[in-house]
Amino acid sequence: MRPRQFDLIAFDWDGTLFDSTALITRCIQAAVRDVGGTVPNDKDASYVIGMGLMQALAHVAPDVPQNLYPKLGKRYKHHYTKHQHDLALFDGVLPLLADLKQRNHWITVATGKSRAGLNEALHAVELKGMFDGSRTADETAGKPSPLMLHQLMHEFGVEPERTLMIGDTTHDLQMALNAGCASLGVSYGAHEPDAFHTLKPRFVAHSVRELHDWLSTHA
């Protein structure tokens, strides 16, 4: 077994471990339509995935007045809740996480979801006990602020150079850069990987298999 380079590995959730990008995009569009805003196209709607919910909706619907933000958030949750049980982990995620646990990495989640949303998702895919820790956007600062990574590093006593962030958006990779951590990008989620390179990820994986292979060799 190779020496371990990273003690703490933080995963984004949506679009990285959980195959939810298309549904979130549709739910954002439906929520904006419900409150009478200009419906964003797929690219603009998927761009905000990874941000905290209200930050994302405000960004993607600039013509919706602030007094309608609570309704906008409720409509998003309404649409998402109707279909959330149709979602699943990407193929290969379970053996990947099991291998990391076997190598004694601390594995965590750093997500733009709410705490309630993450707990529901973990329960749905029976991963309640898999992760050693997690941070959500409603209990700390949203991405790309480094605060959730700083908190996870503090919780486990791990330095930035021993921490790796894995995500599918520029928000994830910018957060890692802001925190002084290494990062990996995955190209099968919300953002096009062409935008990743300026954020200096160690690697961009085009499948969970590629991600697993890189982590087995380099992490």
Side-chain angles (χ1 to χ4, degrees), residues 136-153:
T136 60
D138 62 336
E139 61 191 13
T140 183
K143 301 171 186 178
S145 166
L147 185 58
M148 63 174 74
L149 284 179
H150 284 164
Q151 290 178 346
L152 287 167
M153 288 187 286

Side-chain angles (χ1 to χ4, degrees), residues 2-207:
R2 294 172 181 269
R4 196 172 61 221
Q5 181 176 357
F6 299 107
D7 299 317
L8 175 63
I9 299 177
F11 288 92
D12 171 60
W13 182 256
D14 291 304
T16 300
L17 299 178
F18 202 52
D19 189 5
S20 51
T21 299
L23 174 61
I24 293 172
T25 298
R26 292 197 303 272
C27 291
I28 289 171
Q29 292 167 326
V32 175
R33 184 181 299 111
D34 288 350
V35 300
T38 301
V39 178
N41 60 33
D42 289 355
K43 182 178 180 181
D44 290 343
S46 64
Y47 174 77
V48 301
I49 294 174
M51 297 179 180
L53 176 58
M54 296 316 301
Q55 176 190 6
L57 293 174
H59 185 280
V60 83
D63 62 333
V64 173
Q66 286 192 2
N67 66 301
L68 289 180
Y69 285 2
K71 182 179 180 183
L72 185 61
K74 287 178 182 178
R75 294 309 298 166
Y76 170 81
K77 291 174 183 176
H78 165 78
H79 291 293
Y80 185 84
T81 301
K82 281 202 305 185
H83 297 285
Q84 64 180 340
H85 298 297
D86 301 339
L87 300 174
L89 296 167
F90 287 108
D91 288 342
V93 163
L94 288 176
L96 163 62
L97 296 176
D99 277 2
L100 294 176
K101 294 284 278 189
Q102 187 174 15
R103 286 178 61 97
N104 296 317
H105 297 279
W106 281 306
I107 57 173
T108 63
V109 175
T111 178
K113 297 182 85 65
S114 67
R115 172 55 59 188
L118 178 61
N119 286 347
E120 286 173 7
L122 290 173
H123 178 74
V125 296
E126 299 183 353
L127 283 183
K128 273 279 190 182
M130 175 64 75
F131 295 99
D132 299 296
S134 60
R135 288 295 185 280
T136 60
D138 62 336
E139 61 191 13
T140 183
K143 301 171 186 178
S145 166
L147 185 58
M148 63 174 74
L149 284 179
H150 284 164
Q151 290 178 346
L152 287 167
M153 288 187 286
H154 178 75
E155 179 177 341
F156 293 96
V158 178
E159 297 300 316
E161 59 268 21
R162 303 286 299 178
T163 301
L164 178 67
M165 176 68 205
I166 302 172
D168 67 310
T169 71
T170 55
H171 315 307
D172 299 311
L173 305 189
Q174 185 66 60
M175 177 175 66
L177 204 58
N178 293 345
C181 304
S183 69
L184 292 186
V186 300
S187 68
Y188 50 80
H191 285 190
E192 291 295 327
D194 291 348
F196 292 171
H197 301 299
T198 59
L199 300 172
K200 301 182 172 67
R202 296 285 182 91
F203 181 67
V204 177
H206 300 294
S207 66

